[in-house]
Amino acid sequence: MIQFLKESTFAVNEVLSRSIHILKGHYFSIGGLLLSIFLLFVVAHELTFYLETSSILLKIPLMLLFAVTLLGLQLFLFKFILNLLDHKEHVGVVKTWPSWAELINFLGGIVVFTLASILILFFAMIVCFPLIYMGIDTEVVSFEIVPNVGAILSFFILLRISFFPFFIIDKGISVMKSLRWSLAITKGNIIRLFLILLSLAFVSVLNIYCVYMEYSIMAIIFSLINSFLIIPLTSVVYTVAYRDMVQEYKGSEDPSILSNIF
């Protein structure tokens, strides 16, 4: 186990090192794309108030336009980083922008992702329901135990299927197959992925702690580090981890769900 943790730590350090190198060379491109996504989200949020009394014939087209643009920019960002990893820096915007099929599959994956979250919560409720008959207060079970169990289960299961967008844009496969592939490549890599997320979340935790303790200057510093370094780095790290796991994968070319859950 100690040897496995050493190997996992080494792999995490390698992923972070490569990701930092890529981000240093293309910081303004990656940061600009993330800023575009953020600004578009803010504009969409603000428009909901201005268009609250507008006709539904105006709301629906605008909503679809913002949704397609947001999804497209997110996939464009992942494609751009994949091109950097494959040394295709000069691929044009037109070829990098996702196709309609990729956008539709991405949207379908988000729907499945959301449904999985709801199913996990129901599963947590079923598992925890017998605790009521063991003398534990109903409110404690409903508002403390169930949400915590659901959150833990959701974290690990959703982490397993969260790489589906990369298969859609990199392999050109359907939603369900991309979800199966995500399960397959993350099997046996949960500790590595957890260590990566823990490393990236460290600054955010420090930021929350400083805000809680009212260390204003330190909170501002960590907030700036999180905004201008950690968030852009996260997208790169996730893409690098995907590429590494795909290269290391030795399983079936058409993985099944049941054989890769555990």
Side-chain angles (χ1 to χ4, degrees), residues 148-168:
N148 289 328
V149 172
I152 294 171
L153 290 175
S154 296
F155 173 79
F156 286 104
I157 294 176
L158 297 181
L159 179 62
R160 296 286 308 278
I161 64 176
S162 62
F163 288 88
F164 77 89
F166 296 101
F167 289 101
I168 291 173

Side-chain angles (χ1 to χ4, degrees), residues 16-257:
L16 290 174
S17 176
R18 288 169 57 202
S19 300
I20 291 171
H21 177 73
I22 291 173
L23 185 63
K24 282 173 62 180
H26 304 273
Y27 178 81
F28 290 105
S29 298
I30 296 171
L33 283 170
L34 284 168
L35 181 61
S36 300
I37 293 172
F38 173 75
L39 291 176
L40 188 63
F41 182 81
V42 171
V43 170
H45 182 266
E46 292 298 321
L47 274 178
T48 57
F49 295 102
Y50 290 106
L51 299 175
E52 192 171 354
T53 58
S54 300
S55 169
I56 192 171
L57 295 176
L58 178 62
K59 289 181 181 179
I60 291 177
L62 282 175
M63 182 181 68
L64 290 174
L65 176 62
F66 278 111
V68 169
T69 308
L70 280 169
L71 294 176
L73 282 172
Q74 185 62 68
L75 289 182
F76 183 90
L77 174 62
F78 288 147
K79 267 192 170 185
F80 177 74
I81 299 172
L82 284 172
N83 286 338
L84 295 178
L85 287 173
D86 297 335
H87 305 291
K88 299 177 181 177
E89 292 90 344
H90 304 295
V91 175
V93 173
V94 175
K95 289 186 178 180
T96 307
W97 187 261
S99 65
W100 281 106
E102 290 170 340
L103 286 170
I104 292 171
N105 280 324
F106 186 35
L107 181 60
I110 292 174
V111 172
V112 174
F113 199 89
T114 305
L115 291 175
S117 302
I118 297 172
L119 288 174
I120 291 168
L121 183 59
F122 277 115
F123 178 75
M125 291 172 63
I126 294 170
V127 169
C128 296
F129 185 74
L131 294 176
I132 297 175
Y133 295 96
M134 296 172 63
I136 299 177
D137 187 73
T138 304
E139 290 188 1
V140 173
V141 174
S142 301
F143 298 105
E144 295 184 21
I145 298 178
V146 170
N148 289 328
V149 172
I152 294 171
L153 290 175
S154 296
F155 173 79
F156 286 104
I157 294 176
L158 297 181
L159 179 62
R160 296 286 308 278
I161 64 176
S162 62
F163 288 88
F164 77 89
F166 296 101
F167 289 101
I168 291 173
I169 58 176
D170 192 33
K171 306 294 184 183
I173 57 180
S174 63
V175 177
M176 296 311 297
K177 192 170 183 179
S178 66
L179 291 167
R180 298 204 308 269
W181 265 102
S182 185
L183 280 172
I185 65 168
T186 54
K187 183 179 180 180
N189 285 307
I190 288 295
I191 292 179
R192 293 181 184 179
L193 293 173
F194 179 73
L195 289 174
I196 288 173
L197 292 177
L198 194 63
S199 302
L200 294 171
F202 182 69
V203 175
S204 297
V205 172
L206 288 177
N207 183 35
I208 294 171
Y209 174 77
C210 290
V211 171
Y212 178 76
M213 298 299 294
E214 298 183 354
Y215 299 151
S216 302
I217 296 177
M218 293 302 298
I220 292 172
I221 292 173
F222 284 123
S223 179
L224 290 172
I225 293 173
N226 191 57
S227 299
F228 291 100
L229 177 61
I230 301 302
I231 292 177
L233 182 62
T234 300
S235 297
V236 183
V237 166
Y238 225 61
T239 311
V240 172
Y242 156 78
R243 183 63 88 208
D244 284 357
M245 289 189 294
V246 168
Q247 291 175 350
E248 294 172 0
Y249 178 69
K250 305 296 182 183
S252 169
E253 291 298 317
D254 189 19
S256 63
I257 293 177

